[in-house]
Amino acid sequence: MTQDTAIRDEVTRLRAELEDANHRYYVLDDPLLADAEYDHRLRRLQEIEQAHPELLTEDSPTQRVGAQPADGFPAVEHALPMLSLDNAFNEDELRAFVERVAKLLEVEPQNVVFSCEPKLDGAAVSLVYENGLLVSGATRGDGRTGEGIISNLRTLRSIPLKLRGDTYPELLEVRGEVIMNHERFEAMNEHAREHGLKVFANPRNAAAGSLRQLDPRVTATRPLEFSAYQVARIDMARIDDSLLPTHSEQMKLLKAWGVRSSAELEVVTGAEGIIDYCRRLGERRDGLGYDIDGAVIKVDDLRLQRELGFVARAPRWAIAFKFPAQEQVTRLNDVEFQVGRTGAITPVARLEPVSVAGVTVSNATLHNADEIARLGVKIGDTVAIRRAGDVIPQVVRVIEDQRPEDAREIEFPSECPVCGSDIERVEGEAVARCSGGLVCAAQRKEALKHFAGRRAMDIDGLGVKLIEALVERDWVKTPADLFHLKAEDLAELPRMAEKSANNLVASLEKSRHTSLARFIFALGIREVGEATAANLAAHFGTLEAVMQSDRAALEAVEDVGPIVAAHVETFFQQPHNVETVRALIDAGVDWDEAEIVRGATPLEGQSWVLTGTLESMTRDEGKERLQALGAKVAGSVSKKTSCLVAGPGAGSKLTKAEQAGVPVIDEQTFLERLAEWEALPAASVENAGEEHSQ
């Protein structure tokens, strides 16, 4: 054996031993190699690679800390959005979730199989493997775009740089949570205290902050661990699809490839099975050794997941059960009143600072006057504080036997604390509101923040501080005034150099052309979120049609009920709102819109389903065009389905439609019918939809 061959064999052996040690420690929880022996072998491998750089590979264990400090993190667009989950806070809501799922699947609730696992309280990330090698890693970000942190993720020994075995797929995207366990978190903080370094408030903040270090060598010193919770994408070319019919089996296969997943995952049946799991997990919560804030429940069958689909930004097939938040007791020192975007007056308790679930809390919401009355709370009281959903601090009860003699009643103001306008309370509503509208600087600031937001008009560079400065100088009274700002004036503002001013003007110019859905959302109409704005735009087609619609017409829009319809109608009945809309259009704000035929619509009252891949448009675009023609677009096939559009890759929905005798058309026929219906004059649409199945 030559010397070169011997060195190559030693490198291969050392890498295998080190990766096996990582796998046994982090994935199997069965360590055999002592830390000192691990370190000895790692140093030996480093020595060989330094002496023979031609042997160095990206998947070597030595490369977990091989990158130089970064100037910043690149934006990474997720191939599939990292969605959030709807929440359940009690057993009745869990039962309601199971009932909804069963109804959509048309099965008995007690027969639906679910996988349950802890909801880890850390930082969500996505890992992409190509041909077994880790090639990309990113934070969740806003769900669509995250930050590329691959150099930092490589430092985590619980993340394999190369998948184990030889049966892994060509492409694999795994999503999971990066966490710190309690013991290592406390040890890290104790070391920080001894050396005068930063002490973290809780493991979640420590994990998130560690992942965003520009120097991966810093990340490598932090005791981070990764646990997978989802296979987002997988190329099945090398794998028998029948091996992966369920989420739970996917998690088992990940473990074989060296990717850690939760050892607490269980498969249960029906609502009672879920409730029993959540109860048992809650009882063991404090002994797990790491933070969880609930449980995640998913329909286990992946085929059924695809059939159930998504609504807004959450899947129909999953829900998060949130455990009751931890509580702490402190003193309520005072109450201040804040004014929100819609004029809502919110009482905010100023508290003696207290740590709740690892976070220092000095303010908490009291919601409204009714809540103050319900609690019977007074200034000076000792109160119990809870972080609702482990996020939003709120006062939950008063410790009355500790009430001081000088406790004072909380007096709700009759005038806005910002602008002095009358405060009004509509009958039937708990919230009191400032009547000042955009006259009120507080409302104006919040309205502008919403208007400029990324999902609204997306005005880059128009941050909170700048908005406050513009309002305080009275330069911007309505959103339309933004588009008349000049760079030379902006440059006079504090911390606004000439370049920043020019960039903002350019961003304003770019934002002038938007979409009708974004524009409606940006107006800040009460209860009108992104999904509702999109439905309004798709249904009516033009802004004028939305503005002129009465409540009955508005309630015909998908997901628009009486309350939302009333808010939309009321908004466009106010002269100052109409003036603002006209001013925005006069300022050059525009969008592409197609006038929709008024009156009868070709597919009125029909229910359509889209499945498979459409080559000429996205499924969302197809959905919008069907909705514009009066159809309701459902996520699953039922006896009420009027027609199924089946593109390439159509699966169970196509089979179910054929078994139920539902008419099925391909994409080419769908396009031809759309062209016919969209070209029809109003007088000719009455029976047009009857031809779709022939």
PDB file of all heavy atoms in Angstrom, residues 1 50 71 188 241 271 279 290 294 345 351 353 376 432 441 474 518 526 546 653:
ATOM      1  N   MET A   1       0.854  -1.195   0.000  1.00  0.00           N
ATOM      2  CA  MET A   1       0.000   0.000   0.000  1.00  0.00           C
ATOM      3  C   MET A   1       0.887   1.242   0.000  1.00  0.00           C
ATOM      4  O   MET A   1       1.802   1.362   0.807  1.00  0.00           O
ATOM      5  CB  MET A   1      -0.916   0.002   1.220  1.00  0.00           C
ATOM      6  CG  MET A   1      -1.818   1.231   1.299  1.00  0.00           C
ATOM      7  SD  MET A   1      -2.801   1.266   2.816  1.00  0.00           S
ATOM      8  CE  MET A   1      -3.860  -0.151   2.582  1.00  0.00           C
ATOM      9  N   GLN A  50      -4.957  19.766   6.079  1.00  0.00           N
ATOM     10  CA  GLN A  50      -4.079  20.919   5.907  1.00  0.00           C
ATOM     11  C   GLN A  50      -2.819  20.537   5.131  1.00  0.00           C
ATOM     12  O   GLN A  50      -2.314  21.299   4.313  1.00  0.00           O
ATOM     13  CB  GLN A  50      -3.703  21.497   7.271  1.00  0.00           C
ATOM     14  CG  GLN A  50      -4.859  22.231   7.957  1.00  0.00           C
ATOM     15  CD  GLN A  50      -4.539  22.615   9.389  1.00  0.00           C
ATOM     16  OE1 GLN A  50      -3.448  22.353   9.892  1.00  0.00           O
ATOM     17  NE2 GLN A  50      -5.510  23.236  10.050  1.00  0.00           N
ATOM     18  N   ASP A  71     -20.649  39.626   5.165  1.00  0.00           N
ATOM     19  CA  ASP A  71     -21.058  41.030   5.272  1.00  0.00           C
ATOM     20  C   ASP A  71     -22.557  41.132   5.556  1.00  0.00           C
ATOM     21  O   ASP A  71     -23.049  42.129   6.057  1.00  0.00           O
ATOM     22  CB  ASP A  71     -20.737  41.774   3.970  1.00  0.00           C
ATOM     23  CG  ASP A  71     -19.237  41.876   3.725  1.00  0.00           C
ATOM     24  OD1 ASP A  71     -18.492  41.984   4.721  1.00  0.00           O
ATOM     25  OD2 ASP A  71     -18.836  41.824   2.552  1.00  0.00           O
ATOM     26  N   MET A 188     -24.262  27.996  28.999  1.00  0.00           N
ATOM     27  CA  MET A 188     -23.775  29.070  28.137  1.00  0.00           C
ATOM     28  C   MET A 188     -23.946  30.419  28.823  1.00  0.00           C
ATOM     29  O   MET A 188     -23.043  31.272  28.799  1.00  0.00           O
ATOM     30  CB  MET A 188     -24.532  29.057  26.805  1.00  0.00           C
ATOM     31  CG  MET A 188     -24.080  30.122  25.809  1.00  0.00           C
ATOM     32  SD  MET A 188     -25.094  30.154  24.319  1.00  0.00           S
ATOM     33  CE  MET A 188     -26.608  30.845  24.977  1.00  0.00           C
ATOM     34  N   ASP A 241     -42.639   5.368  -4.198  1.00  0.00           N
ATOM     35  CA  ASP A 241     -43.616   6.284  -3.606  1.00  0.00           C
ATOM     36  C   ASP A 241     -44.461   5.586  -2.537  1.00  0.00           C
ATOM     37  O   ASP A 241     -44.929   6.215  -1.589  1.00  0.00           O
ATOM     38  CB  ASP A 241     -44.517   6.847  -4.702  1.00  0.00           C
ATOM     39  CG  ASP A 241     -45.361   8.014  -4.203  1.00  0.00           C
ATOM     40  OD1 ASP A 241     -44.947   8.675  -3.230  1.00  0.00           O
ATOM     41  OD2 ASP A 241     -46.411   8.266  -4.783  1.00  0.00           O
ATOM     42  N   ALA A 271     -60.313  12.767  17.480  1.00  0.00           N
ATOM     43  CA  ALA A 271     -60.124  13.882  18.409  1.00  0.00           C
ATOM     44  C   ALA A 271     -59.661  13.408  19.780  1.00  0.00           C
ATOM     45  O   ALA A 271     -58.798  14.028  20.406  1.00  0.00           O
ATOM     46  CB  ALA A 271     -61.416  14.690  18.530  1.00  0.00           C
ATOM     47  N   ARG A 279     -52.625  16.092  26.402  1.00  0.00           N
ATOM     48  CA  ARG A 279     -52.635  16.055  27.865  1.00  0.00           C
ATOM     49  C   ARG A 279     -51.346  15.437  28.392  1.00  0.00           C
ATOM     50  O   ARG A 279     -50.710  15.959  29.313  1.00  0.00           O
ATOM     51  CB  ARG A 279     -53.842  15.257  28.361  1.00  0.00           C
ATOM     52  CG  ARG A 279     -55.181  15.981  28.219  1.00  0.00           C
ATOM     53  CD  ARG A 279     -56.311  15.039  28.591  1.00  0.00           C
ATOM     54  NE  ARG A 279     -57.621  15.699  28.484  1.00  0.00           N
ATOM     55  CZ  ARG A 279     -58.784  15.036  28.519  1.00  0.00           C
ATOM     56  NH1 ARG A 279     -58.784  13.709  28.644  1.00  0.00           N
ATOM     57  NH2 ARG A 279     -59.918  15.692  28.426  1.00  0.00           N
ATOM     58  N   TYR A 290     -36.182  20.833  26.987  1.00  0.00           N
ATOM     59  CA  TYR A 290     -36.156  21.895  25.978  1.00  0.00           C
ATOM     60  C   TYR A 290     -37.536  22.537  25.933  1.00  0.00           C
ATOM     61  O   TYR A 290     -38.518  21.964  26.406  1.00  0.00           O
ATOM     62  CB  TYR A 290     -35.772  21.351  24.594  1.00  0.00           C
ATOM     63  CG  TYR A 290     -36.556  20.129  24.161  1.00  0.00           C
ATOM     64  CD1 TYR A 290     -37.790  20.241  23.538  1.00  0.00           C
ATOM     65  CD2 TYR A 290     -36.066  18.846  24.405  1.00  0.00           C
ATOM     66  CE1 TYR A 290     -38.508  19.132  23.150  1.00  0.00           C
ATOM     67  CE2 TYR A 290     -36.784  17.721  24.025  1.00  0.00           C
ATOM     68  CZ  TYR A 290     -38.000  17.872  23.401  1.00  0.00           C
ATOM     69  OH  TYR A 290     -38.716  16.757  23.030  1.00  0.00           O
ATOM     70  N   GLY A 294     -46.448  23.930  22.771  1.00  0.00           N
ATOM     71  CA  GLY A 294     -47.671  23.238  22.409  1.00  0.00           C
ATOM     72  C   GLY A 294     -47.367  21.978  21.632  1.00  0.00           C
ATOM     73  O   GLY A 294     -46.277  21.403  21.732  1.00  0.00           O
ATOM     74  N   ILE A 345     -58.975  52.670  20.793  1.00  0.00           N
ATOM     75  CA  ILE A 345     -58.291  53.130  22.001  1.00  0.00           C
ATOM     76  C   ILE A 345     -57.990  51.906  22.864  1.00  0.00           C
ATOM     77  O   ILE A 345     -58.906  51.219  23.321  1.00  0.00           O
ATOM     78  CB  ILE A 345     -59.160  54.118  22.801  1.00  0.00           C
ATOM     79  CG1 ILE A 345     -59.626  55.271  21.906  1.00  0.00           C
ATOM     80  CG2 ILE A 345     -58.399  54.631  24.011  1.00  0.00           C
ATOM     81  CD1 ILE A 345     -58.514  56.142  21.383  1.00  0.00           C
ATOM     82  N   LEU A 351     -46.277  48.163  34.025  1.00  0.00           N
ATOM     83  CA  LEU A 351     -46.063  47.215  35.100  1.00  0.00           C
ATOM     84  C   LEU A 351     -44.677  47.350  35.734  1.00  0.00           C
ATOM     85  O   LEU A 351     -43.739  47.842  35.100  1.00  0.00           O
ATOM     86  CB  LEU A 351     -46.205  45.778  34.576  1.00  0.00           C
ATOM     87  CG  LEU A 351     -47.488  45.452  33.817  1.00  0.00           C
ATOM     88  CD1 LEU A 351     -47.322  44.130  33.087  1.00  0.00           C
ATOM     89  CD2 LEU A 351     -48.667  45.388  34.784  1.00  0.00           C
ATOM     90  N   PRO A 353     -41.488  45.729  36.115  1.00  0.00           N
ATOM     91  CA  PRO A 353     -40.937  44.693  35.230  1.00  0.00           C
ATOM     92  C   PRO A 353     -40.843  43.328  35.895  1.00  0.00           C
ATOM     93  O   PRO A 353     -40.443  43.196  37.056  1.00  0.00           O
ATOM     94  CB  PRO A 353     -39.544  45.240  34.895  1.00  0.00           C
ATOM     95  CG  PRO A 353     -39.681  46.721  35.043  1.00  0.00           C
ATOM     96  CD  PRO A 353     -40.622  46.919  36.187  1.00  0.00           C
ATOM     97  N   GLY A 376     -61.993  44.030  37.114  1.00  0.00           N
ATOM     98  CA  GLY A 376     -62.097  44.833  38.324  1.00  0.00           C
ATOM     99  C   GLY A 376     -60.759  45.376  38.758  1.00  0.00           C
ATOM    100  O   GLY A 376     -60.491  45.565  39.951  1.00  0.00           O
ATOM    101  N   ALA A 432     -63.658  51.212  21.972  1.00  0.00           N
ATOM    102  CA  ALA A 432     -63.923  52.648  21.794  1.00  0.00           C
ATOM    103  C   ALA A 432     -62.918  53.187  20.782  1.00  0.00           C
ATOM    104  O   ALA A 432     -61.774  52.728  20.722  1.00  0.00           O
ATOM    105  CB  ALA A 432     -63.769  53.376  23.120  1.00  0.00           C
ATOM    106  N   ALA A 441     -52.983  62.270  14.506  1.00  0.00           N
ATOM    107  CA  ALA A 441     -51.621  61.918  14.104  1.00  0.00           C
ATOM    108  C   ALA A 441     -51.317  60.450  14.383  1.00  0.00           C
ATOM    109  O   ALA A 441     -50.618  59.794  13.601  1.00  0.00           O
ATOM    110  CB  ALA A 441     -50.617  62.811  14.834  1.00  0.00           C
ATOM    111  N   ASP A 474     -46.180  67.452   9.569  1.00  0.00           N
ATOM    112  CA  ASP A 474     -47.426  67.678   8.834  1.00  0.00           C
ATOM    113  C   ASP A 474     -47.205  67.718   7.329  1.00  0.00           C
ATOM    114  O   ASP A 474     -47.960  68.357   6.596  1.00  0.00           O
ATOM    115  CB  ASP A 474     -48.100  68.975   9.304  1.00  0.00           C
ATOM    116  CG  ASP A 474     -49.622  68.844   9.291  1.00  0.00           C
ATOM    117  OD1 ASP A 474     -50.112  67.699   9.350  1.00  0.00           O
ATOM    118  OD2 ASP A 474     -50.302  69.866   9.209  1.00  0.00           O
ATOM    119  N   ARG A 518     -53.582  44.404  -3.859  1.00  0.00           N
ATOM    120  CA  ARG A 518     -52.665  45.101  -2.950  1.00  0.00           C
ATOM    121  C   ARG A 518     -53.219  46.489  -2.599  1.00  0.00           C
ATOM    122  O   ARG A 518     -53.112  46.927  -1.451  1.00  0.00           O
ATOM    123  CB  ARG A 518     -51.284  45.254  -3.597  1.00  0.00           C
ATOM    124  CG  ARG A 518     -50.399  44.029  -3.490  1.00  0.00           C
ATOM    125  CD  ARG A 518     -49.067  44.279  -4.202  1.00  0.00           C
ATOM    126  NE  ARG A 518     -48.126  43.203  -3.990  1.00  0.00           N
ATOM    127  CZ  ARG A 518     -47.218  43.157  -3.023  1.00  0.00           C
ATOM    128  NH1 ARG A 518     -47.158  44.152  -2.160  1.00  0.00           N
ATOM    129  NH2 ARG A 518     -46.385  42.145  -2.910  1.00  0.00           N
ATOM    130  N   ARG A 526     -61.258  48.153   7.709  1.00  0.00           N
ATOM    131  CA  ARG A 526     -61.378  47.252   8.862  1.00  0.00           C
ATOM    132  C   ARG A 526     -61.776  45.838   8.440  1.00  0.00           C
ATOM    133  O   ARG A 526     -62.677  45.659   7.608  1.00  0.00           O
ATOM    134  CB  ARG A 526     -62.403  47.789   9.866  1.00  0.00           C
ATOM    135  CG  ARG A 526     -61.916  48.983  10.683  1.00  0.00           C
ATOM    136  CD  ARG A 526     -63.000  49.437  11.639  1.00  0.00           C
ATOM    137  NE  ARG A 526     -63.353  48.385  12.601  1.00  0.00           N
ATOM    138  CZ  ARG A 526     -64.413  48.449  13.409  1.00  0.00           C
ATOM    139  NH1 ARG A 526     -65.238  49.489  13.341  1.00  0.00           N
ATOM    140  NH2 ARG A 526     -64.653  47.481  14.264  1.00  0.00           N
ATOM    141  N   VAL A 546     -66.090  47.665  -6.836  1.00  0.00           N
ATOM    142  CA  VAL A 546     -66.050  47.445  -5.392  1.00  0.00           C
ATOM    143  C   VAL A 546     -66.667  48.634  -4.668  1.00  0.00           C
ATOM    144  O   VAL A 546     -67.490  48.471  -3.756  1.00  0.00           O
ATOM    145  CB  VAL A 546     -64.595  47.237  -4.909  1.00  0.00           C
ATOM    146  CG1 VAL A 546     -64.564  47.066  -3.387  1.00  0.00           C
ATOM    147  CG2 VAL A 546     -63.968  46.027  -5.578  1.00  0.00           C
ATOM    148  N   LYS A 653     -57.955  13.362  -6.543  1.00  0.00           N
ATOM    149  CA  LYS A 653     -59.163  14.137  -6.870  1.00  0.00           C
ATOM    150  C   LYS A 653     -59.758  13.677  -8.194  1.00  0.00           C
ATOM    151  O   LYS A 653     -60.981  13.616  -8.350  1.00  0.00           O
ATOM    152  CB  LYS A 653     -58.823  15.626  -6.914  1.00  0.00           C
ATOM    153  CG  LYS A 653     -58.466  16.225  -5.567  1.00  0.00           C
ATOM    154  CD  LYS A 653     -58.147  17.698  -5.700  1.00  0.00           C
ATOM    155  CE  LYS A 653     -57.654  18.248  -4.362  1.00  0.00           C
ATOM    156  NZ  LYS A 653     -57.263  19.676  -4.461  1.00  0.00           N
TER     157      LYS A 653
END
